[in-house]
Amino acid sequence: MNQQKSLMNLLLVSTAAFSGYQKGANTHYRSQQINTNHAYRNENLNVPNPSLQNNPINANTTYSNTMQVSSQAPCVTSGTPSATATAQADNTLLPALLAALYAADEAIGINPEATGPFSLPPLEYDYNALVPYTSEETLRIHYNQLHRRYVNNLNTALACCPEFYNYTLQEFLLFPDRLPSGVQTQIVNNAGGDYNHSLTWKLIGPPNNTRSTGDFASVIDKQFGSFENLKSILKQTALSVFGTGYAWLTLNPYGRMIVVTTGQQLTPIPLRTVPLLLIDVYEHAYFLDYESNRGEYVDQLFNLVNWNRVASRYDAAMNIFNNVNELG
Ligand code: MN3
């Protein structure tokens, strides 16, 4: 009974914390969240969650699970793999994780309540806005052809199963097992392609001199040594991706930032982390401008990263996670 009560509190807190991000009279967002929580209640909420009672920074000391990495899974390259493994095993984190994913997106101007059929989100700058670090031609092809193709292919795949038109991108990526096996791969790959590029366009922009600030900056210093060291880790991780994929800076529900890689259009959401920043290492992102010099591309891409928005994602997600952790 106590356990039920505390789980109910967790749901209420994560929903209430999230509701601060809602706008005006839009109740769809809230009902979406509540419906999703219903799903969690049916599937997952019988798992005791003592780790949430610990200080986030010390939480990894309680972890004993072994990281399970399949060939399709994201790869942890920096941070605390055991923490990630525990987050994966701990299904009581799911409501807070989903709320944090939505809050982080909303904090940078992405509409997190979008459901199918999906549309290409508007680009908030001109195709030549990233010059000289990314050419007009690269951005035009990347956004207007490739991103658009992911959106169109996702809608094509969804046409077979309209019962999933009330799912958000984040739900497809967090709950792929709910999808019919015949279209699961197509939906997950293209939902990932849409999600990843929507994030990218918001997290880069015209050349700027932003760097990490505030709480986000001090946590980076604590967890990675320095801002410059974080960038170095991200670059080395981007260079380590074999073939196509991404390097990511992510945040887990215990407040720990982790650098991971994914292949193709997969995301680190199945690792139970919130993406904060991503580096697209598909050659389509840089080949016209840098040929095969991925390292130079990553170095120059840092001139375009809007670190204020990365920090906004961190702050929004931590606001949700802190509310949950305080319950303990
Ligand atoms: Mn791309």
Side-chain angles (χ1 to χ4, degrees):
M1 194 60 184
N2 282 343
Q3 182 180 315
Q4 273 185 341
K5 191 175 174 187
S6 107
L7 291 170
M8 184 62 75
N9 281 340
L10 182 137
L11 289 175
L12 291 174
V13 166
S14 60
T15 304
F18 181 51
S19 69
Y21 293 89
Q22 297 182 32
K23 291 175 180 171
N26 187 343
T27 56
H28 172 72
Y29 202 173
R30 185 170 305 172
S31 63
Q32 181 76 20
Q33 179 67 12
I34 289 168
N35 287 339
T36 307
N37 286 344
H38 270 294
Y40 298 139
R41 191 172 301 136
N42 293 336
E43 293 176 14
N44 298 319
L45 291 185
N46 293 320
V47 184
N49 185 21
S51 56
L52 276 181
Q53 296 169 16
N54 296 336
N55 179 306
I57 299 303
N58 294 326
N60 61 320
T61 59
T62 66
Y63 302 153
S64 58
N65 293 351
T66 302
M67 182 77 183
Q68 294 183 357
V69 179
S70 76
S71 61
Q72 290 297 301
C75 176
V76 175
T77 57
S78 173
T80 313
S82 58
T84 304
T86 298
Q88 281 181 282
D90 190 348
N91 287 332
T92 59
L93 295 172
L94 290 174
L97 177 66
L98 196 55
L101 288 167
Y102 290 155
D105 284 355
E106 175 130 36
I108 61 167
I110 291 175
N111 173 14
E113 67 183 274
T115 56
F118 292 89
S119 56
L120 185 68
L123 193 63
E124 62 185 21
Y125 36 83
D126 294 335
Y127 289 130
N128 64 2
L130 308 182
V131 173
Y133 304 111
T134 294
S135 66
E136 179 172 344
E137 187 178 15
T138 292
L139 181 56
R140 187 188 304 275
I141 293 169
H142 202 172
Y143 168 78
N144 198 40
Q145 293 182 23
L146 300 174
H147 187 176
R148 186 184 299 280
R149 187 180 302 163
Y150 293 120
V151 174
N152 290 343
N153 288 347
L154 174 60
N155 289 332
T156 299
L158 279 175
C160 75
C161 31
E163 67 271 29
F164 288 99
Y165 274 141
N166 66 344
Y167 266 54
T168 62
L169 292 175
Q170 293 87 341
E171 287 173 312
F172 288 129
L173 299 170
L174 192 54
F175 306 114
D177 290 346
R178 294 181 185 173
L179 295 163
S181 58
V183 291
Q184 184 191 77
T185 299
Q186 194 179 353
I187 289 176
V188 169
N189 286 348
N190 288 293
D194 184 7
Y195 183 80
N196 295 344
H197 288 89
S198 298
L199 272 184
T200 296
W201 310 135
K202 289 290 188 180
L203 293 174
I204 64 173
N208 65 79
N209 292 310
T210 62
R211 51 178 296 129
S212 57
T213 55
D215 286 350
F216 178 60
S218 42
V219 176
I220 283 177
D221 289 346
K222 194 170 179 180
Q223 296 188 9
F224 294 99
S226 69
F227 180 63
E228 291 305 317
N229 200 42
L230 168 62
K231 290 201 292 186
S232 173
I233 291 169
L234 281 167
K235 178 184 177 182
Q236 292 309 313
T237 302
L239 288 171
S240 79
V241 175
F242 182 77
T244 59
Y246 292 84
W248 302 81
L249 176 65
T250 70
L251 175 69
N252 82 4
Y254 308 107
R256 197 168 287 276
M257 282 186 269
I258 303 169
V259 175
V260 306
T261 61
T262 59
Q264 294 88 46
Q265 293 297 342
L266 297 177
T267 77
I269 290 176
L271 278 175
R272 311 285 166 83
T273 62
V274 174
L276 300 180
L277 177 65
L278 70 170
I279 298 174
D280 185 342
V281 298
Y282 272 71
E283 284 190 342
H284 65 228
Y286 63 89
F287 195 85
L288 287 176
D289 303 327
Y290 300 93
E291 297 188 345
S292 61
N293 193 343
R294 186 188 289 180
E296 177 68 10
Y297 153 69
V298 174
D299 282 339
Q300 301 304 335
L301 185 70
F302 284 128
N303 291 303
L304 303 175
V305 172
N306 185 333
W307 287 97
N308 294 329
R309 288 190 174 171
V310 182
S312 293
R313 291 184 65 79
Y314 173 85
D315 291 340
M318 281 305 296
N319 187 41
I320 301 287
F321 293 143
N322 282 334
N323 278 320
V324 174
N325 281 304
E326 282 165 12
L327 268 181

